[in-house]
Amino acid sequence: MHPRLILASCAALLDACATTRIPARDVPPLTVAFPVGVDSTRALVLGAMRAAQLPIDGGGSDPSARTISSSYTVRRGGIGESAVRVRLALEPDGATVTLVAIEAVATDRGRSLSVGADRNAPVQRPSTREVGGNDIEALRPVQRLLRQLESLGGQVSKTP
């Protein structure tokens, strides 16, 4: 192998290992503004979701729906996993601008261990929380979606 290729590979690996947070501008809740109407924005959002390989759970087949949702599972294996639900709400802002509000919520689900488990212990209910910036696995699909939306002309801003 070429020495430069080895050095570049090592540098990329170190950079990937050092990244422990998603940039704050990519952590929901976010707003994306498009300079087109609601119907055109809806088509752009659906195309971006398909390109980012996000499953479309709700609002994808109904042309009048103003809310589109997606859900996926992260942290497979081990003793727990999270189901992440991403919700995109389209709202007109004037005659020619549409805002897309993006929210991401994770529901943590622990797996029960049957070896030595106390069967009389109360069942733990899943806990729901906003996805934080340090949850890299949960936010990577959202980050891919944001890059797609930006490439289509959307202006991303942090929602207060």
Side-chain angles (χ1 to χ4, degrees), residues 31-160:
T31 303
V32 182
F34 283 97
V36 293
V38 174
D39 293 335
S40 298
T41 300
R42 186 176 185 288
L44 290 172
V45 167
L46 289 172
M49 289 178 76
R50 288 183 190 104
Q53 300 175 351
L54 276 174
I56 300 169
D57 296 338
S61 60
D62 182 9
S64 64
R66 294 226 176 150
T67 302
I68 302 168
S69 62
S70 175
S71 58
Y72 51 91
T73 303
V74 294
R75 290 188 203 105
R76 295 171 205 217
I79 60 169
E81 60 185 20
S82 294
V84 178
R85 183 157 181 88
V86 180
R87 183 176 169 269
L88 297 96
L90 287 71
E91 290 296 325
D93 186 34
T96 59
V97 175
T98 303
L99 300 177
V100 180
I102 302 174
E103 300 170 344
V105 177
T107 302
D108 295 328
R109 297 181 290 201
R111 295 184 184 172
S112 61
L113 299 173
S114 60
V115 177
D118 182 11
R119 298 198 185 269
N120 295 327
V123 177
Q124 290 184 343
R125 294 184 181 235
S127 61
T128 302
R129 61 177 171 78
E130 284 190 6
V131 179
N134 58 351
D135 197 349
I136 295 172
E137 295 86 12
L139 288 176
R140 286 287 182 215
V142 175
Q143 205 174 29
R144 285 194 313 266
L145 175 63
L146 291 174
R147 297 299 82 79
Q148 289 293 325
L149 293 173
E150 284 179 328
S151 71
L152 295 171
Q155 292 289 105
V156 178
S157 64
K158 188 75 175 158
T159 301

Side-chain angles (χ1 to χ4, degrees), residues 16-38:
C17 291
T19 303
T20 59
R21 288 187 59 84
I22 298 289
R25 72 179 207 96
D26 291 348
V27 178
L30 300 167
T31 303
V32 182
F34 283 97
V36 293
V38 174

